[in-house]
Amino acid sequence: MRLSWTALASLAIGGVGAVELDIDSADSIKEASSTIAYDMMSFYTGNNTGDNPGNLPQPYYWWEAGAMFMHMVDYYYYTGDPTYNPTTIQAITWQAGDTGEFMPQNQTKDEGNDDQVFWAFAAMAAAELEFPPPTQGYPSWTAMAQAVFNLQAERWDPDNCGGGLRWQIQPLNAGYDYKNIASNGGFFQLAARLARYTDNSTYVDWTEKMWNWISNSTLYEPGTAVGTKIYDGAQIEAQCSKPNPAQYSYNYGILIGGLAYIYNHTEEDKWLEPIYGILNGTFNIFFHDSSQVIQEVGCEPHNSCDTDGLTFKSFTLRWLALCAQLVPQTAEQIWPYIDASAQGAAGQCSGSNDECGYHWLETTWDGSTGVGQQMSALAAVQAPMLQVKDLKAPLTLKTGATSKGDASAGTGGDTDTSGDSGSEWLTKRITTGDKAGAGILTALLLIATLGGTYWLVSY
Ligand SMILES: *[C@@H]1O[C@H](CO)[C@@H](O)[C@H](O)[C@H]1NC(C)=O
Ligand SMILES: *[C@@H]1O[C@H](CO)[C@@H](O)[C@H](O)[C@H]1NC(C)=O
Ligand SMILES: *[C@@H]1O[C@H](CO)[C@@H](O)[C@H](O)[C@H]1NC(C)=O
Ligand SMILES: *[C@@H]1O[C@H](CO)[C@@H](O)[C@H](O)[C@H]1NC(C)=O
Ligand SMILES: *[C@@H]1O[C@H](CO)[C@@H](O)[C@H](O)[C@H]1NC(C)=O
Ligand SMILES: *[C@@H]1O[C@H](CO)[C@@H](O)[C@H](O)[C@H]1NC(C)=O
């Protein structure tokens, strides 16, 4: 039942060179994900002498590195493979800085709210998914997300379009006069995640406030023939009355993710209608009718995806999987689309070193390579792990998460930089019965006690 036509087609031609994927096998998913992650990380230069942790080379923008490390946090969650954890920890903490704000001087000149929030998603995922703690001397993962939340809450702009955030932070940047879903939906999702994670009602209030703005804006159009449509953004000049009609799948994904978190936290039925509506729009607009494989329709069919556009499918798929997990009644509807897309993606990872192209509806490698292609394939291929393994849903402070947080991070006072207590995290891992790893962890704990800088030496 799960065999899509793409998979059938690749069987028919003998599966030439593609990454093999059996979505019913944890081992197969892990191996395919590992191959794709390896190829993705081979683009990373932030650990080279003379470069800075967290950087990708040209032509990748800074935000894309944040997104890449978000997927690497997910990679560890889905597969349990710790190979890239030290690199990931180093990259995220370096870019967060000692205030946890993800406003490094090298980037602030052209940093947008959406750029910043993607790094915050990486930190938030680390808190939710039991990722090892940040480098000592830095804020905790949760405090990083809270720092970004606090800064963005201050940027709420009631004077234009009735509220919302501007895209850009700096007044001189093109885009300061634009309000977009990536920034507003990004803040909405971050607030929803903090609400669920910390159970602090201030974050629920902000989630509601942002949702009221988004859902009343011209960017949100429920009830069309294909379901709810989401538009990219609108110019402030016309008081956001004329939405930019561009269709990007991640704008749908970012809202689905936020809605899933807040529904799961509040258990209020009012969040279900928007979820169903946006799911309808997502499936009808972005997934191929018969094969159910995702396609970035704005650019993929005419080979015009830019560097950013090549990443979009990754977020849509990530947050669809999250929705299936946190809004269980949507799971049955969502999984066939992810499964088919995973098969499509794997079939397109058929470069000479298994590198992935972007045209998942085709089984012959399209000849393209890049971080966005790898990221999208990785998100597709690793998600089905949720169906074969009983992985814990994103944790909260009440369900065992250990990253403590600092509600006042990023507000100018001293951010708590005691981080997530490393030894507390290790103890937790041992007592929660990571049997195979317990010996190693005990050894690490010893090193931690002796050395203090154990994360540098632990892998
Ligand atoms: C940097 O990280 C990548 C990916 O993990 C790895 O392939 C490469 O060897 C590393 N380079 C250095 C200099 O450590
Ligand atoms: C910013 O650039 C300087 C000079 O290359 C470098 O020393 C510093 O580490 C960079 N900061 C970050 C957060 O990458
Ligand atoms: C927006 O929508 C919410 C609920 O959907 C409603 O309560 C509110 O009054 C609407 N208008 C504004 C300006 O927020
Ligand atoms: C979603 O689509 C289904 C099938 O077309 C329809 O029955 C349902 O009313 C739609 N739901 C929303 C909220 O748009
Ligand atoms: C929230 O997510 C958990 C984990 O998947 C699930 O067990 C629970 O039923 C969800 N809550 C609601 C209200 O659907
Ligand atoms: C909840 O979050 C708000 C906003 O950051 C903060 O001011 C408040 O102190 C927090 N409350 C608790 C109990 O942590």
Side-chain angles (χ1 to χ4, degrees), residues 222-228 272-281 284 333:
T224 81
V226 292
T228 300
L272 290 173
E273 174 102 4
I275 291 175
Y276 291 137
I278 303 175
L279 284 175
N280 276 357
N284 287 326
Q333 199 190 355

Side-chain angles (χ1 to χ4, degrees), residues 409-434:
T411 52
D414 283 340
T415 300
D416 180 357
T417 54
S418 60
D420 296 328
S421 161
S423 45
E424 190 188 327
W425 182 86
L426 286 171
T427 311
K428 183 111 194 170
R429 287 306 290 255
I430 294 165
T431 51
T432 51
D434 191 348

Side-chain angles (χ1 to χ4, degrees), residues 181-455:
I181 289 291
S183 297
N184 288 285
F187 178 85
F188 166 71
Q189 187 186 118
L190 185 63
R193 292 169 81 159
L194 284 169
R196 181 175 173 277
Y197 185 89
T198 65
D199 196 23
N200 176 335
S201 64
T202 305
Y203 299 118
V204 179
D205 296 344
W206 271 99
T207 310
E208 298 258 6
K209 179 170 170 169
M210 185 51 102
W211 181 252
N212 283 345
W213 183 77
I214 292 173
S215 61
N216 287 330
S217 78
T218 57
L219 310 184
Y220 182 83
E221 189 185 0
T224 81
V226 292
T228 300
K229 288 186 84 172
I230 308 296
Y231 302 105
D232 185 65
Q235 295 290 336
I236 284 173
E237 194 181 21
Q239 285 301 313
C240 299
S241 62
K242 294 191 201 114
N244 165 5
Q247 292 295 299
Y248 300 125
S249 70
Y250 82 133
N251 285 332
Y252 292 72
I254 212 166
L255 295 182
I256 288 170
L259 288 161
Y261 277 105
I262 199 65
Y263 168 72
N264 192 264
H265 176 56
T266 64
E267 303 189 357
E268 292 173 298
D269 285 350
K270 68 172 183 184
W271 301 111
L272 290 173
E273 174 102 4
I275 291 175
Y276 291 137
I278 303 175
L279 284 175
N280 276 357
T282 308
F283 298 143
N284 287 326
I285 296 168
F286 298 101
F287 286 79
H288 188 259
D289 284 348
S290 53
S291 69
Q292 299 189 307
V293 174
I294 190 172
Q295 193 184 37
E296 193 61 44
V297 292
C299 60
E300 186 178 327
H302 13 94
N303 305 318
S304 62
C305 297
D306 63 12
T307 307
D308 286 356
L310 290 166
T311 67
F312 292 165
K313 291 192 289 195
S314 76
F315 311 119
T316 314
L317 291 169
R318 172 63 188 118
W319 290 319
L320 280 174
L322 189 276
C323 183
Q325 217 176 3
L326 296 187
V327 192
Q329 60 269 49
T330 63
E332 207 180 317
Q333 199 190 355
I334 289 175
W335 280 114
Y337 290 102
I338 299 181
D339 290 344
S341 298
Q343 301 279 19
Q348 183 55 218
C349 295
S350 47
S352 48
N353 295 310
D354 291 332
E355 60 271 48
C356 307
Y358 196 64
H359 291 78
W360 299 354
L361 292 167
E362 292 156 28
T363 49
T364 322
W365 181 44
D366 65 14
S368 76
T369 57
V371 177
Q373 290 90 321
Q374 295 303 130
M375 201 188 275
S376 296
L378 182 62
V381 164
Q382 63 189 1
M385 190 68 96
L386 293 176
Q387 294 168 105
V388 291
K389 273 200 138 173
D390 192 20
L391 298 176
K392 282 181 252 176
L395 295 177
T396 70
L397 287 174
K398 282 193 177 148
T399 59
T402 53
S403 178
K404 286 284 186 289
D406 172 358
S408 64
T411 52
D414 283 340
T415 300
D416 180 357
T417 54
S418 60
D420 296 328
S421 161
S423 45
E424 190 188 327
W425 182 86
L426 286 171
T427 311
K428 183 111 194 170
R429 287 306 290 255
I430 294 165
T431 51
T432 51
D434 191 348
K435 299 262 163 26
I440 302 167
L441 286 170
T442 311
L444 287 181
L445 200 55
L446 257 178
I447 298 169
T449 319
L450 298 174
T453 53
Y454 65 94
W455 282 114

